[in-house]
Amino acid sequence: MFDELSKYKQGNFFFQATDSLVEVCNVEAHYYGLYLVYALRKGRVELVYINKSGPPEKSKDLKINTDIEDDLRENLLNGFQFGEIERKNSWPVQMMIEDIEALHIHWYVTYDHKNKDLPATMKSKILQIYQGIYGQLPRWNQT
């Protein structure tokens, strides 16, 4: 669905509510990009969340391999979601509430030595494509 992401360094992993997100997360530190979260529930797969890492909005603000304050890994593990709770703690609770069996997280490094696409710009593009297809934002982006 998102062909524009195929050029980036990427990876994915599965997360179940009983897992430690810190242990199963295979996102490398010191990179900026975005991640898409798919929920697996009752034999169906649904894209529920699209997010980016990194506070910088301009390329001159990005420092590759030096600033880990809000890199891709840090954002995914310790960003706040569903209240003032870090994802590593809020996702398992939300998964139980929604009866989600597992999350399949796909991550993409959009800003590195090879590519200089700002994560905020790429998140906007992907959200626009999704909204154009489904007429709304992914469920967890609405909260």
Side-chain angles (χ1 to χ4, degrees):
M1 176 173 12
F2 305 114
D3 293 335
E4 41 282 309
L5 297 177
S6 64
K7 71 178 184 176
Y8 301 116
K9 177 178 182 169
Q10 57 191 281
N12 68 85
F13 64 92
F14 285 92
F15 173 69
Q16 294 179 313
T18 56
D19 292 336
S20 162
L21 187 57
V22 173
E23 289 178 17
V24 299
C25 179
N26 65 0
V27 179
E28 298 175 35
H30 309 290
Y31 287 105
Y32 293 106
L34 67 143
Y35 52 97
L36 284 59
V37 179
Y38 295 85
L40 287 66
R41 184 174 168 247
K42 298 182 181 176
R44 300 183 68 107
V45 177
E46 174 191 4
L47 177 58
V48 293
Y49 191 54
I50 299 169
N51 199 20
K52 65 155 184 81
S53 68
E57 300 298 324
K58 300 177 190 133
S59 60
K60 67 179 172 75
D61 296 335
L62 289 170
K63 296 179 186 92
I64 300 170
N65 292 328
T66 58
D67 183 7
I68 62 165
E69 180 179 314
D70 194 23
D71 70 6
L72 195 51
R73 183 177 175 84
E74 178 69 19
N75 182 288
L76 203 151
L77 296 175
N78 298 314
F80 293 106
Q81 192 168 1
F82 306 116
E84 293 297 314
I85 304 169
E86 295 171 330
R87 283 187 192 90
K88 63 186 172 195
N89 297 317
S90 67
W91 279 2
V93 173
Q94 193 65 28
M95 290 169 70
M96 287 189 253
I97 291 169
E98 295 185 29
D99 197 25
I100 295 171
E101 297 154 24
L103 297 177
H104 191 188
I105 296 95
H106 293 255
W107 53 269
Y108 304 87
V109 176
T110 65
Y111 195 96
D112 59 9
H113 298 291
K114 181 179 176 187
N115 296 292
K116 303 290 184 223
D117 297 324
L118 295 173
T121 303
M122 291 311 300
K123 178 183 175 183
S124 266
K125 281 184 184 181
I126 300 305
L127 283 171
Q128 284 177 338
I129 292 168
Y130 184 93
Q131 196 160 19
I133 294 169
Y134 297 102
Q136 62 186 11
L137 294 174
R139 195 169 32 151
W140 289 3
N141 285 97
Q142 297 173 19
T143 58

